[in-house]
Amino acid sequence: DIQMTQSPSSVSASVGDRVTITCRASQGISNWVAWYQQKPGKAPKFLIYAASTLQSGVPSRFSGSGSGTDFTLTISSLQPEDVATYYCQQANSFPLTFGGGTKVEMK
Amino acid sequence: EVQLVESGGGLVKPGRSLRLSCTTSGFTFRDYLMGWFRQAPGKGLEWVGFIRSKPYGGTPEYAASVKGRFTISRDDSNIIAYLEMDSLKTEDTAVYYCARRLAVGYQFYFDYWGQGTLVTVSS
């Protein structure tokens, strides 16, 4: 199975800050990575796929990059509504696997 | 508007069975692969399995943790996906989500999710 390791596990930032979350795959997975946002008590929301393609309707302050084993989700200017837990997911092979999550909090 | 609504969750004793339903609307259900995921209390997301659309064989895939105990099926006429869970264990306690596969390319990304239904396995 491909392990997805996210870091940090949590981050605290101020409004307007740039926030970067990383996800490392245990083996090369090309660019087959998605990112999801989950707010407490809610379903995951699909943000980015194929490492860097922004899903329709997602604010442009969100961006993704990476290929191979290292991937990044960046929020260019943190907003209060971005407080959530973010998960990466690899779509390279079965079983589909997720990172452990990164909790983004407001300072 | 795409909508997915899970139902059928509840409290069940270990070893018993439960069937979850995912009722959909707002898209052509028969054209889409449908997935199931779960999230144990305070934990991260875990893929449970999915079922392909009929043009791609209508076949399922399962995570190792549920293979042989869980069965995913679909009713394209009534636009519902099912997750039949047998021989339930306490570690199956989780919120269960259904989700629709993104209809772009061939990779398994999921663009719409239901609100989830809680399954609690306890004696």
Side-chain angles (χ1 to χ4, degrees):
Chain A
D1 298 2
I2 296 175
Q3 309 302 318
M4 302 294 283
T5 303
Q6 272 184 250
S7 62
S9 56
S10 66
V11 58
S12 182
S14 300
V15 172
D17 283 353
R18 183 182 188 88
V19 174
T20 299
I21 299 167
T22 63
C23 189
R24 174 163 289 176
S26 59
Q27 65 189 71
I29 56 172
S30 185
N31 67 335
W32 305 129
V33 163
W35 290 93
Y36 299 86
Q37 175 194 66
Q38 187 179 34
K39 297 182 178 180
K42 300 295 186 182
K45 177 186 175 182
F46 184 56
L47 297 178
I48 287 169
Y49 64 98
S52 61
T53 303
L54 202 65
Q55 172 68 344
S56 175
V58 174
S60 58
R61 63 180 179 274
F62 290 92
S63 64
S65 64
S67 67
T69 60
D70 294 316
F71 302 90
T72 299
L73 173 71
T74 300
I75 309 172
S76 60
S77 177
L78 187 69
Q79 299 302 303
E81 59 266 33
D82 301 335
V83 169
T85 299
Y86 293 83
Y87 294 94
C88 59
Q89 175 229 321
Q90 66 82 16
N92 182 76
S93 62
F94 300 138
L96 305 178
T97 49
F98 291 84
T102 296
K103 189 173 185 179
V104 175
E105 299 172 308
M106 200 66 71
K107 219 181 254 184
Chain B
E1 180 192 6
V2 173
Q3 289 194 323
L4 297 86
V5 178
E6 301 90 343
S7 60
L11 175 63
V12 61
K13 288 179 167 41
R16 296 291 184 92
S17 299
L18 201 63
R19 187 177 79 163
L20 306 183
S21 300
C22 174
T23 303
T24 71
S25 62
F27 65 101
T28 307
F29 179 81
R30 64 177 180 271
D31 292 342
Y32 284 83
L33 176 152
M34 297 298 297
W36 286 93
F37 299 82
R38 67 185 181 182
Q39 187 169 36
K43 302 296 184 183
L45 296 167
E46 179 186 13
W47 172 66
V48 171
F50 63 63
I51 186 162
R52 295 176 177 86
S53 61
K54 291 288 185 349
Y56 290 88
T59 53
E61 298 286 344
Y62 300 98
S65 58
V66 306
K67 196 169 186 178
R69 299 188 300 121
F70 288 14
T71 302
I72 298 174
S73 60
R74 62 189 299 149
D75 180 343
D76 289 349
S77 298
N78 291 301
I79 56 176
I80 301 176
Y82 296 102
L83 176 63
E84 183 81 39
M85 303 182 293
D86 297 323
S87 304
L88 281 161
K89 306 175 182 180
T90 55
E91 53 263 41
D92 295 320
T93 293
V95 174
Y96 284 74
Y97 297 99
C98 66
R100 186 189 83 165
R101 179 189 167 274
L102 177 71
V104 172
Y106 296 96
Q107 299 305 314
F108 298 97
Y109 306 119
F110 294 85
D111 60 352
Y112 284 92
W113 296 60
Q115 84 291 349
T117 187
L118 176 62
V119 173
T120 303
V121 184
S122 174
S123 54

